[in-house]
Amino acid sequence: MRPLTENGNAEEAETLALRALGWVLCDDRRAQRLLALTGLEAEDLRRHAGEAATLRAVIGFLRAHEPDLVACARELDVAPERLANLGRELKA
């Protein structure tokens, strides 16, 4: 069983982070920026997409550019603050 987090459980946090990753990858320019800024290679991203460290990198990427954070949160129907704090909920 996964540990509970302050806003739900780890599985919910992972699901939301994966949805955020999907949102990022839907736009080629944004996806390329993610790879450039995180140092991830496309193959590594495919291989490790569900891992906490990769998902934390995605959330960090969104936090670093508020317009993307807000747009992603709007698309996923969550508060931007919820998305911004998600990295703390992702357990290794």
Side-chain angles (χ1 to χ4, degrees), residues 17-18 21 25 40-58:
L18 282 167
L21 173 59
L25 297 178
L40 291 167
E41 297 289 332
E43 183 59 34
D44 292 333
L45 183 58
R46 280 189 283 279
R47 191 175 317 135
H48 303 291
E51 294 178 10
T54 302
L55 295 175
R56 280 193 296 272
V58 171

Side-chain angles (χ1 to χ4, degrees), residues 4-66:
L4 290 179
T5 63
E6 65 185 70
N7 293 317
N9 65 47
E11 187 174 307
E12 291 172 355
E14 288 174 10
T15 299
L16 184 54
L18 282 167
R19 291 178 61 211
L21 173 59
W23 181 85
V24 169
L25 297 178
C26 282
D27 179 85
D28 280 342
R29 288 176 50 159
R30 192 181 307 117
Q32 290 304 314
R33 193 164 38 93
L34 170 70
L35 295 175
L37 293 176
T38 62
L40 291 167
E41 297 289 332
E43 183 59 34
D44 292 333
L45 183 58
R46 280 189 283 279
R47 191 175 317 135
H48 303 291
E51 294 178 10
T54 302
L55 295 175
R56 280 193 296 272
V58 171
I59 299 304
F61 168 79
L62 290 171
R63 288 182 65 162
H65 189 67
E66 187 175 0

